[in-house]
PDB file of all heavy atoms in Angstrom:
ATOM      1  N   LYS A  43      14.332  -0.850   2.728  1.00  0.00           N
ATOM      2  CA  LYS A  43      14.170  -1.944   1.767  1.00  0.00           C
ATOM      3  C   LYS A  43      13.498  -1.300   0.529  1.00  0.00           C
ATOM      4  O   LYS A  43      12.398  -0.733   0.657  1.00  0.00           O
ATOM      5  CB  LYS A  43      13.262  -3.047   2.372  1.00  0.00           C
ATOM      6  CG  LYS A  43      13.334  -4.353   1.711  1.00  0.00           C
ATOM      7  CD  LYS A  43      12.400  -5.355   2.365  1.00  0.00           C
ATOM      8  CE  LYS A  43      12.909  -5.806   3.711  1.00  0.00           C
ATOM      9  NZ  LYS A  43      11.911  -6.703   4.397  1.00  0.00           N
ATOM     10  N   SER A  58      10.079  -1.612  10.045  1.00  0.00           N
ATOM     11  CA  SER A  58       8.993  -2.544  10.176  1.00  0.00           C
ATOM     12  C   SER A  58       7.706  -1.800   9.721  1.00  0.00           C
ATOM     13  O   SER A  58       7.431  -0.690  10.201  1.00  0.00           O
ATOM     14  CB  SER A  58       8.851  -2.978  11.667  1.00  0.00           C
ATOM     15  OG  SER A  58       7.550  -3.102  12.042  1.00  0.00           O
ATOM     16  N   ILE A  59       6.938  -2.394   8.842  1.00  0.00           N
ATOM     17  CA  ILE A  59       5.705  -1.808   8.354  1.00  0.00           C
ATOM     18  C   ILE A  59       4.800  -1.500   9.559  1.00  0.00           C
ATOM     19  O   ILE A  59       4.129  -0.458   9.660  1.00  0.00           O
ATOM     20  CB  ILE A  59       5.008  -2.652   7.296  1.00  0.00           C
ATOM     21  CG1 ILE A  59       5.885  -2.725   6.034  1.00  0.00           C
ATOM     22  CG2 ILE A  59       3.597  -2.144   6.987  1.00  0.00           C
ATOM     23  CD1 ILE A  59       5.365  -3.664   4.960  1.00  0.00           C
ATOM     24  N   ILE A  60       4.718  -2.489  10.467  1.00  0.00           N
ATOM     25  CA  ILE A  60       3.804  -2.300  11.598  1.00  0.00           C
ATOM     26  C   ILE A  60       4.186  -1.107  12.489  1.00  0.00           C
ATOM     27  O   ILE A  60       3.369  -0.277  12.855  1.00  0.00           O
ATOM     28  CB  ILE A  60       3.740  -3.608  12.433  1.00  0.00           C
ATOM     29  CG1 ILE A  60       3.138  -4.729  11.608  1.00  0.00           C
ATOM     30  CG2 ILE A  60       2.990  -3.419  13.752  1.00  0.00           C
ATOM     31  CD1 ILE A  60       3.096  -6.094  12.234  1.00  0.00           C
ATOM     32  N   ARG A 317      -9.281 -18.008   9.620  1.00  0.00           N
ATOM     33  CA  ARG A 317      -7.818 -17.824   9.611  1.00  0.00           C
ATOM     34  C   ARG A 317      -7.334 -17.619   8.226  1.00  0.00           C
ATOM     35  O   ARG A 317      -7.484 -18.524   7.344  1.00  0.00           O
ATOM     36  CB  ARG A 317      -7.143 -19.063  10.214  1.00  0.00           C
ATOM     37  CG  ARG A 317      -7.172 -19.167  11.712  1.00  0.00           C
ATOM     38  CD  ARG A 317      -6.134 -20.142  12.237  1.00  0.00           C
ATOM     39  NE  ARG A 317      -4.797 -19.549  12.267  1.00  0.00           N
ATOM     40  CZ  ARG A 317      -3.751 -19.996  11.539  1.00  0.00           C
ATOM     41  NH1 ARG A 317      -3.850 -21.011  10.735  1.00  0.00           N
ATOM     42  NH2 ARG A 317      -2.563 -19.376  11.642  1.00  0.00           N
ATOM     43  N   ARG A 321      -5.815 -11.556  -0.337  1.00  0.00           N
ATOM     44  CA  ARG A 321      -4.890 -10.738  -1.132  1.00  0.00           C
ATOM     45  C   ARG A 321      -5.552 -10.448  -2.474  1.00  0.00           C
ATOM     46  O   ARG A 321      -6.505 -11.088  -2.890  1.00  0.00           O
ATOM     47  CB  ARG A 321      -3.594 -11.552  -1.418  1.00  0.00           C
ATOM     48  CG  ARG A 321      -2.866 -12.007  -0.168  1.00  0.00           C
ATOM     49  CD  ARG A 321      -2.089 -10.883   0.536  1.00  0.00           C
ATOM     50  NE  ARG A 321      -1.323 -11.405   1.682  1.00  0.00           N
ATOM     51  CZ  ARG A 321      -0.595 -10.592   2.460  1.00  0.00           C
ATOM     52  NH1 ARG A 321      -0.527  -9.304   2.217  1.00  0.00           N
ATOM     53  NH2 ARG A 321       0.097 -11.082   3.494  1.00  0.00           N
ATOM     54  N   ARG A 370      -5.817 -19.690  -1.143  1.00  0.00           N
ATOM     55  CA  ARG A 370      -5.199 -20.920  -1.687  1.00  0.00           C
ATOM     56  C   ARG A 370      -6.333 -21.967  -1.870  1.00  0.00           C
ATOM     57  O   ARG A 370      -7.251 -21.674  -2.661  1.00  0.00           O
ATOM     58  CB  ARG A 370      -4.098 -21.414  -0.807  1.00  0.00           C
ATOM     59  CG  ARG A 370      -2.937 -20.332  -0.893  1.00  0.00           C
ATOM     60  CD  ARG A 370      -1.784 -20.653   0.014  1.00  0.00           C
ATOM     61  NE  ARG A 370      -2.009 -20.296   1.406  1.00  0.00           N
ATOM     62  CZ  ARG A 370      -1.857 -19.069   1.929  1.00  0.00           C
ATOM     63  NH1 ARG A 370      -1.497 -18.073   1.128  1.00  0.00           N
ATOM     64  NH2 ARG A 370      -2.075 -18.796   3.182  1.00  0.00           N
ATOM     65  N   ARG A 372      -8.426 -23.129   0.509  1.00  0.00           N
ATOM     66  CA  ARG A 372      -9.400 -23.186   1.665  1.00  0.00           C
ATOM     67  C   ARG A 372     -10.423 -22.060   1.489  1.00  0.00           C
ATOM     68  O   ARG A 372     -10.159 -20.997   0.957  1.00  0.00           O
ATOM     69  CB  ARG A 372      -8.683 -22.971   2.972  1.00  0.00           C
ATOM     70  CG  ARG A 372      -7.691 -24.125   3.328  1.00  0.00           C
ATOM     71  CD  ARG A 372      -7.089 -23.866   4.699  1.00  0.00           C
ATOM     72  NE  ARG A 372      -6.340 -22.647   4.763  1.00  0.00           N
ATOM     73  CZ  ARG A 372      -6.581 -21.633   5.586  1.00  0.00           C
ATOM     74  NH1 ARG A 372      -7.538 -21.719   6.472  1.00  0.00           N
ATOM     75  NH2 ARG A 372      -5.810 -20.570   5.566  1.00  0.00           N
TER      76      ARG A 372
ATOM     77  N   GLU Z  52      14.073 -11.417   7.612  1.00  0.00           N
ATOM     78  CA  GLU Z  52      14.293  -9.957   7.395  1.00  0.00           C
ATOM     79  C   GLU Z  52      13.794  -9.574   6.033  1.00  0.00           C
ATOM     80  O   GLU Z  52      13.174  -8.508   5.842  1.00  0.00           O
ATOM     81  CB  GLU Z  52      15.769  -9.666   7.522  1.00  0.00           C
ATOM     82  CG  GLU Z  52      16.004  -8.217   7.929  1.00  0.00           C
ATOM     83  CD  GLU Z  52      17.449  -7.971   8.319  1.00  0.00           C
ATOM     84  OE1 GLU Z  52      17.875  -8.488   9.396  1.00  0.00           O
ATOM     85  OE2 GLU Z  52      18.148  -7.313   7.545  1.00  0.00           O
ATOM     86  N   GLU Z  53      13.950 -10.407   5.010  1.00  0.00           N
ATOM     87  CA  GLU Z  53      13.454 -10.159   3.698  1.00  0.00           C
ATOM     88  C   GLU Z  53      11.923 -10.076   3.700  1.00  0.00           C
ATOM     89  O   GLU Z  53      11.327  -9.218   3.056  1.00  0.00           O
ATOM     90  CB  GLU Z  53      13.880 -11.271   2.692  1.00  0.00           C
ATOM     91  CG  GLU Z  53      15.345 -11.152   2.250  1.00  0.00           C
ATOM     92  CD  GLU Z  53      15.514  -9.939   1.381  1.00  0.00           C
ATOM     93  OE1 GLU Z  53      14.867  -9.796   0.363  1.00  0.00           O
ATOM     94  OE2 GLU Z  53      16.353  -9.082   1.799  1.00  0.00           O
ATOM     95  N   ASP Z  56       7.598  -8.026   8.851  1.00  0.00           N
ATOM     96  CA  ASP Z  56       6.830  -8.472   9.968  1.00  0.00           C
ATOM     97  C   ASP Z  56       5.873  -9.617   9.549  1.00  0.00           C
ATOM     98  O   ASP Z  56       4.955  -9.418   8.746  1.00  0.00           O
ATOM     99  CB  ASP Z  56       5.890  -7.265  10.432  1.00  0.00           C
ATOM    100  CG  ASP Z  56       6.712  -6.142  10.954  1.00  0.00           C
ATOM    101  OD1 ASP Z  56       7.711  -6.386  11.641  1.00  0.00           O
ATOM    102  OD2 ASP Z  56       6.293  -4.969  10.739  1.00  0.00           O
ATOM    103  N   VAL Z  60       0.778 -17.546   9.808  1.00  0.00           N
ATOM    104  CA  VAL Z  60       1.454 -18.767   9.416  1.00  0.00           C
ATOM    105  C   VAL Z  60       0.425 -19.873   9.129  1.00  0.00           C
ATOM    106  O   VAL Z  60      -0.634 -19.938   9.760  1.00  0.00           O
ATOM    107  CB  VAL Z  60       2.460 -19.294  10.457  1.00  0.00           C
ATOM    108  CG1 VAL Z  60       3.542 -18.330  10.759  1.00  0.00           C
ATOM    109  CG2 VAL Z  60       1.766 -19.711  11.736  1.00  0.00           C
ATOM    110  N   GLU Z  61       0.710 -20.638   8.106  1.00  0.00           N
ATOM    111  CA  GLU Z  61      -0.091 -21.838   7.827  1.00  0.00           C
ATOM    112  C   GLU Z  61       0.903 -22.995   7.799  1.00  0.00           C
ATOM    113  O   GLU Z  61       1.861 -22.985   7.015  1.00  0.00           O
ATOM    114  CB  GLU Z  61      -0.690 -21.646   6.408  1.00  0.00           C
ATOM    115  CG  GLU Z  61      -1.923 -22.416   6.106  1.00  0.00           C
ATOM    116  CD  GLU Z  61      -2.587 -21.982   4.829  1.00  0.00           C
ATOM    117  OE1 GLU Z  61      -3.277 -20.931   4.882  1.00  0.00           O
ATOM    118  OE2 GLU Z  61      -2.326 -22.600   3.776  1.00  0.00           O
ATOM    119  N   GLU Z  79       3.136 -15.353   5.918  1.00  0.00           N
ATOM    120  CA  GLU Z  79       2.710 -14.104   5.325  1.00  0.00           C
ATOM    121  C   GLU Z  79       3.190 -12.970   6.159  1.00  0.00           C
ATOM    122  O   GLU Z  79       2.955 -12.931   7.377  1.00  0.00           O
ATOM    123  CB  GLU Z  79       1.163 -14.057   5.147  1.00  0.00           C
ATOM    124  CG  GLU Z  79       0.657 -15.135   4.230  1.00  0.00           C
ATOM    125  CD  GLU Z  79      -0.781 -14.835   3.719  1.00  0.00           C
ATOM    126  OE1 GLU Z  79      -1.091 -13.695   3.492  1.00  0.00           O
ATOM    127  OE2 GLU Z  79      -1.513 -15.843   3.609  1.00  0.00           O
ATOM    128  N   SER Z  80       3.822 -11.998   5.508  1.00  0.00           N
ATOM    129  CA  SER Z  80       4.169 -10.766   6.191  1.00  0.00           C
ATOM    130  C   SER Z  80       3.044  -9.783   5.804  1.00  0.00           C
ATOM    131  O   SER Z  80       2.101 -10.099   5.146  1.00  0.00           O
ATOM    132  CB  SER Z  80       5.501 -10.255   5.777  1.00  0.00           C
ATOM    133  OG  SER Z  80       5.483  -9.928   4.405  1.00  0.00           O
ATOM    134  N   VAL Z  81       3.137  -8.552   6.313  1.00  0.00           N
ATOM    135  CA  VAL Z  81       2.127  -7.556   5.978  1.00  0.00           C
ATOM    136  C   VAL Z  81       1.983  -7.469   4.452  1.00  0.00           C
ATOM    137  O   VAL Z  81       0.919  -7.392   3.911  1.00  0.00           O
ATOM    138  CB  VAL Z  81       2.484  -6.159   6.544  1.00  0.00           C
ATOM    139  CG1 VAL Z  81       1.479  -5.096   6.153  1.00  0.00           C
ATOM    140  CG2 VAL Z  81       2.616  -6.258   8.070  1.00  0.00           C
TER     141      VAL Z  81
END
Side-chain angles (χ1 to χ4, degrees):
Chain A
K43 196 181 289 175
S58 144
I59 293 176
I60 294 175
R317 283 198 80 242
R321 303 284 184 180
R370 292 176 282 278
R372 295 183 299 122
Chain Z
E52 207 168 290
E53 283 294 301
D56 296 323
V60 300
E61 203 170 279
E79 296 198 37
S80 65
V81 178

